Amino acid sequence: MSTILVVEDSVLIRELIREILERAQYDVLEAADGRDALQKLQETLPDLVLMDIQLPFLDGYAVLSQLRHDQRLNRVPVIALTAYAMRSDQEEARRAGFDGYMTKPIDRAALLQMIHGFLTEGRQFSKTRTTKV
Ligand code: MN
């Protein structure tokens, strides 16, 4: 069973994502902000992280940067979640090192398809597949 860490400050969106993931038989961990995310990542090694970009205390870019500099964590695929559908934001997320990019509102099928790809192919998935906009 794969474990997914959901980093999202909106309780409603976090609960929606939890429901989607649990119905697909994933184990779900939650973090409500950037500091909480780093704390959870110290305690556990999730198989994948879904990370909101705009978060209190530390934003998604800052959390990603710390994760990528940690040998224990740097192979974990990280998918950015953002409300912005702008192409430039997707490019910025890619440059920052996110492996995939999902816009909110969340498309359930697209999210599950992307997660499945990363869990079966690892971070290489991003080099062979286009992320959803
Ligand atoms: Mn947010």
Side-chain angles (χ1 to χ4, degrees):
M1 187 50 49
S2 298
T3 300
I4 298 174
L5 172 63
V6 179
V7 186
E8 168 62 67
D9 58 321
S10 159
V11 176
L12 284 177
I13 295 171
R14 218 162 62 229
E15 288 186 351
L16 171 70
I17 294 172
R18 172 186 278 280
E19 185 202 313
I20 291 171
L21 298 181
E22 286 186 342
R23 278 198 202 177
Q25 310 297 316
Y26 293 115
D27 286 333
V28 178
L29 298 170
E30 296 182 16
D33 59 58
R35 284 200 306 230
D36 191 14
L38 290 177
Q39 179 73 34
K40 292 281 185 336
L41 288 164
Q42 292 302 313
E43 298 165 357
T44 58
L45 182 61
D47 297 290
L48 183 142
V49 178
L50 290 179
M51 184 131 64
D52 185 20
I53 298 282
Q54 294 190 295
L55 294 164
F57 306 120
L58 279 174
D59 69 13
Y61 291 117
V63 177
L64 177 75
S65 172
Q66 295 216 26
L67 192 148
R68 289 291 184 247
H69 287 93
D70 185 323
Q71 285 205 337
R72 191 179 63 90
L73 298 166
N74 65 13
R75 263 175 274 170
V76 178
V78 184
I79 298 173
L81 294 176
T82 173
Y84 302 145
M86 298 287 291
R87 185 83 196 164
S88 59
D89 293 311
Q90 184 175 8
E91 283 307 311
E92 191 180 345
R94 279 186 176 285
R95 274 201 304 275
F98 283 99
D99 299 293
Y101 183 98
M102 293 289 304
T103 52
K104 296 182 275 190
I106 298 292
D107 177 327
R108 177 184 297 254
L111 178 67
L112 291 175
Q113 183 182 22
M114 185 180 285
I115 288 171
H116 181 74
F118 281 113
L119 292 178
T120 53
E121 298 176 38
R123 293 189 57 207
Q124 295 301 315
F125 185 71
S126 61
K127 299 192 178 77
T128 54
R129 295 283 284 271
T130 308
T131 50
K132 277 274 178 187
V133 176

